[in-house]
mmCIF file of all heavy atoms in Angstrom:
data_model
loop_
_atom_site.group_PDB
_atom_site.id
_atom_site.type_symbol
_atom_site.label_atom_id
_atom_site.label_comp_id
_atom_site.label_asym_id
_atom_site.label_seq_id
_atom_site.Cartn_x
_atom_site.Cartn_y
_atom_site.Cartn_z
ATOM 1 N N ALA A 367 76.071 95.122 141.415
ATOM 2 C CA ALA A 367 76.964 96.022 142.264
ATOM 3 C C ALA A 367 76.324 97.386 142.431
ATOM 4 O O ALA A 367 76.328 97.989 143.537
ATOM 5 C CB ALA A 367 78.341 96.127 141.639
ATOM 6 N N ILE A 368 75.735 97.928 141.383
ATOM 7 C CA ILE A 368 75.087 99.271 141.501
ATOM 8 C C ILE A 368 73.924 99.179 142.473
ATOM 9 O O ILE A 368 73.781 100.044 143.376
ATOM 10 C CB ILE A 368 74.574 99.792 140.184
ATOM 11 C CG1 ILE A 368 75.802 99.934 139.128
ATOM 12 C CG2 ILE A 368 73.846 101.092 140.206
ATOM 13 C CD1 ILE A 368 75.274 100.253 137.665
ATOM 14 N N ALA A 369 73.149 98.089 142.311
ATOM 15 C CA ALA A 369 71.977 97.969 143.209
ATOM 16 C C ALA A 369 72.388 97.798 144.712
ATOM 17 O O ALA A 369 71.784 98.375 145.580
ATOM 18 C CB ALA A 369 71.147 96.752 142.791
ATOM 19 N N ALA A 370 73.486 97.027 144.909
ATOM 20 C CA ALA A 370 73.894 96.776 146.310
ATOM 21 C C ALA A 370 74.693 97.894 146.905
ATOM 22 O O ALA A 370 74.603 98.098 148.171
ATOM 23 C CB ALA A 370 74.739 95.508 146.306
ATOM 24 N N HIS A 371 75.479 98.596 146.105
ATOM 25 C CA HIS A 371 76.443 99.566 146.766
ATOM 26 C C HIS A 371 76.169 101.003 146.567
ATOM 27 O O HIS A 371 76.990 101.899 146.791
ATOM 28 C CB HIS A 371 77.865 99.255 146.235
ATOM 29 C CG HIS A 371 78.285 97.857 146.627
ATOM 30 N ND1 HIS A 371 78.391 97.372 147.917
ATOM 31 C CD2 HIS A 371 78.562 96.712 145.840
ATOM 32 C CE1 HIS A 371 78.734 96.110 147.898
ATOM 33 N NE2 HIS A 371 78.841 95.711 146.660
ATOM 34 N N THR A 372 74.959 101.363 146.000
ATOM 35 C CA THR A 372 74.627 102.771 145.881
ATOM 36 C C THR A 372 73.287 103.037 146.461
ATOM 37 O O THR A 372 72.341 102.145 146.523
ATOM 38 C CB THR A 372 74.615 103.272 144.377
ATOM 39 O OG1 THR A 372 73.453 102.658 143.722
ATOM 40 C CG2 THR A 372 75.872 102.988 143.641
ATOM 41 N N ARG A 373 73.010 104.267 146.927
ATOM 42 C CA ARG A 373 71.701 104.735 147.243
ATOM 43 C C ARG A 373 71.673 106.200 146.623
ATOM 44 O O ARG A 373 72.675 106.835 146.455
ATOM 45 C CB ARG A 373 71.588 104.967 148.758
ATOM 46 C CG ARG A 373 71.400 103.734 149.533
ATOM 47 C CD ARG A 373 69.955 103.132 149.414
ATOM 48 N NE ARG A 373 69.852 101.803 150.101
ATOM 49 C CZ ARG A 373 70.179 100.711 149.562
ATOM 50 N NH1 ARG A 373 70.687 100.601 148.385
ATOM 51 N NH2 ARG A 373 70.094 99.564 150.282
ATOM 52 N N ASN A 374 70.414 106.610 146.274
ATOM 53 C CA ASN A 374 70.178 107.910 145.784
ATOM 54 C C ASN A 374 71.147 108.208 144.567
ATOM 55 O O ASN A 374 71.729 109.365 144.548
ATOM 56 C CB ASN A 374 70.321 108.999 146.886
ATOM 57 C CG ASN A 374 69.334 108.765 148.035
ATOM 58 O OD1 ASN A 374 68.210 108.388 147.700
ATOM 59 N ND2 ASN A 374 69.757 109.045 149.259
ATOM 60 N N LEU A 375 71.185 107.365 143.637
ATOM 61 C CA LEU A 375 71.969 107.579 142.436
ATOM 62 C C LEU A 375 71.348 108.668 141.574
ATOM 63 O O LEU A 375 70.112 108.588 141.295
ATOM 64 C CB LEU A 375 72.131 106.312 141.653
ATOM 65 C CG LEU A 375 72.857 106.293 140.302
ATOM 66 C CD1 LEU A 375 74.400 106.561 140.540
ATOM 67 C CD2 LEU A 375 72.654 105.049 139.533
ATOM 68 N N GLU A 376 72.129 109.663 141.187
ATOM 69 C CA GLU A 376 71.560 110.734 140.364
ATOM 70 C C GLU A 376 72.540 111.275 139.378
ATOM 71 O O GLU A 376 73.768 111.118 139.623
ATOM 72 C CB GLU A 376 70.928 111.885 141.162
ATOM 73 C CG GLU A 376 71.931 112.535 142.046
ATOM 74 C CD GLU A 376 71.288 113.635 142.975
ATOM 75 O OE1 GLU A 376 70.089 113.908 142.778
ATOM 76 O OE2 GLU A 376 72.054 114.227 143.686
ATOM 77 N N LEU A 377 72.167 111.985 138.296
ATOM 78 C CA LEU A 377 73.085 112.567 137.396
ATOM 79 C C LEU A 377 73.313 114.007 137.858
ATOM 80 O O LEU A 377 72.390 114.662 138.379
ATOM 81 C CB LEU A 377 72.448 112.667 135.982
ATOM 82 C CG LEU A 377 72.288 111.265 135.290
ATOM 83 C CD1 LEU A 377 71.430 111.419 134.036
ATOM 84 C CD2 LEU A 377 73.614 110.607 134.980
ATOM 85 N N THR A 378 74.567 114.500 137.706
ATOM 86 C CA THR A 378 74.858 115.895 138.156
ATOM 87 C C THR A 378 75.076 116.783 136.951
ATOM 88 O O THR A 378 75.481 117.924 137.146
ATOM 89 C CB THR A 378 76.039 115.952 139.076
ATOM 90 O OG1 THR A 378 77.133 115.389 138.362
ATOM 91 C CG2 THR A 378 75.874 115.098 140.330
ATOM 92 N N GLY A 379 74.888 116.258 135.720
ATOM 93 C CA GLY A 379 75.029 117.138 134.565
ATOM 94 C C GLY A 379 74.435 116.406 133.374
ATOM 95 O O GLY A 379 74.019 115.273 133.416
ATOM 96 N N GLU A 380 74.485 117.183 132.221
ATOM 97 C CA GLU A 380 73.890 116.526 130.996
ATOM 98 C C GLU A 380 74.907 115.621 130.301
ATOM 99 O O GLU A 380 76.150 115.862 130.426
ATOM 100 C CB GLU A 380 73.667 117.647 130.023
ATOM 101 C CG GLU A 380 72.465 118.641 130.435
ATOM 102 C CD GLU A 380 71.153 117.945 130.368
ATOM 103 O OE1 GLU A 380 70.869 117.274 129.317
ATOM 104 O OE2 GLU A 380 70.398 117.938 131.434
ATOM 105 N N SER A 381 74.376 114.609 129.647
ATOM 106 C CA SER A 381 75.268 113.733 128.840
ATOM 107 C C SER A 381 74.839 113.965 127.344
ATOM 108 O O SER A 381 73.651 113.998 126.997
ATOM 109 C CB SER A 381 75.006 112.277 129.156
ATOM 110 O OG SER A 381 75.407 112.045 130.464
ATOM 111 N N LYS A 382 75.798 114.004 126.438
ATOM 112 C CA LYS A 382 75.521 114.175 125.026
ATOM 113 C C LYS A 382 76.026 112.949 124.231
ATOM 114 O O LYS A 382 77.183 112.576 124.495
ATOM 115 C CB LYS A 382 76.275 115.473 124.527
ATOM 116 C CG LYS A 382 75.646 116.066 123.306
ATOM 117 C CD LYS A 382 76.328 117.398 122.982
ATOM 118 C CE LYS A 382 77.132 117.253 121.774
ATOM 119 N NZ LYS A 382 78.371 117.569 121.608
ATOM 120 N N TRP A 383 75.196 112.327 123.371
ATOM 121 C CA TRP A 383 75.707 111.223 122.591
ATOM 122 C C TRP A 383 76.600 111.723 121.478
ATOM 123 O O TRP A 383 76.313 112.736 120.794
ATOM 124 C CB TRP A 383 74.489 110.433 121.972
ATOM 125 C CG TRP A 383 73.728 109.712 123.125
ATOM 126 C CD1 TRP A 383 72.633 110.139 123.741
ATOM 127 C CD2 TRP A 383 74.121 108.478 123.643
ATOM 128 N NE1 TRP A 383 72.320 109.259 124.681
ATOM 129 C CE2 TRP A 383 73.184 108.158 124.644
ATOM 130 C CE3 TRP A 383 75.097 107.545 123.390
ATOM 131 C CZ2 TRP A 383 73.222 106.992 125.414
ATOM 132 C CZ3 TRP A 383 75.192 106.343 124.107
ATOM 133 C CH2 TRP A 383 74.214 106.094 125.141
ATOM 134 N N LEU A 384 77.714 111.117 121.364
ATOM 135 C CA LEU A 384 78.708 111.513 120.290
ATOM 136 C C LEU A 384 78.241 111.217 118.924
ATOM 137 O O LEU A 384 77.728 110.107 118.701
ATOM 138 C CB LEU A 384 80.054 110.849 120.616
ATOM 139 C CG LEU A 384 80.687 111.183 121.960
ATOM 140 C CD1 LEU A 384 82.004 110.411 122.158
ATOM 141 C CD2 LEU A 384 81.003 112.683 122.014
ATOM 142 N N PRO A 385 78.494 112.084 117.963
ATOM 143 C CA PRO A 385 78.048 111.853 116.585
ATOM 144 C C PRO A 385 79.053 111.009 115.783
ATOM 145 O O PRO A 385 80.205 110.929 116.109
ATOM 146 C CB PRO A 385 77.917 113.268 116.032
ATOM 147 C CG PRO A 385 78.917 114.070 116.748
ATOM 148 C CD PRO A 385 79.064 113.445 118.131
ATOM 149 N N ARG A 386 78.474 110.362 114.697
ATOM 150 C CA ARG A 386 79.258 109.631 113.740
ATOM 151 C C ARG A 386 80.250 108.627 114.244
ATOM 152 O O ARG A 386 81.435 108.580 113.878
ATOM 153 C CB ARG A 386 80.004 110.651 112.895
ATOM 154 C CG ARG A 386 79.151 111.452 111.921
ATOM 155 C CD ARG A 386 79.831 112.584 111.234
ATOM 156 N NE ARG A 386 79.800 113.824 112.108
ATOM 157 C CZ ARG A 386 78.842 114.669 112.166
ATOM 158 N NH1 ARG A 386 77.725 114.500 111.403
ATOM 159 N NH2 ARG A 386 78.844 115.710 112.971
ATOM 160 N N VAL A 387 79.787 107.798 115.231
ATOM 161 C CA VAL A 387 80.707 106.764 115.843
ATOM 162 C C VAL A 387 80.167 105.432 115.406
ATOM 163 O O VAL A 387 79.046 105.303 114.954
ATOM 164 C CB VAL A 387 80.632 106.869 117.365
ATOM 165 C CG1 VAL A 387 81.380 108.114 117.805
ATOM 166 C CG2 VAL A 387 79.261 106.863 117.895
ATOM 167 N N MET A 388 80.989 104.418 115.577
ATOM 168 C CA MET A 388 80.484 103.041 115.320
ATOM 169 C C MET A 388 79.938 102.507 116.698
ATOM 170 O O MET A 388 78.900 101.915 116.793
ATOM 171 C CB MET A 388 81.670 102.139 114.863
ATOM 172 C CG MET A 388 81.200 100.737 114.500
ATOM 173 S SD MET A 388 80.149 100.831 113.102
ATOM 174 C CE MET A 388 79.400 99.174 113.261
#
Side-chain angles (χ1 to χ4, degrees):
I368 297 172
H371 301 297
T372 68
R373 285 284 176 276
N374 298 325
L375 178 69
E376 59 181 358
L377 295 170
T378 58
E380 291 292 310
S381 298
K382 204 173 109 237
W383 290 94
L384 298 176
R386 290 171 274 276
V387 289
M388 185 66 196

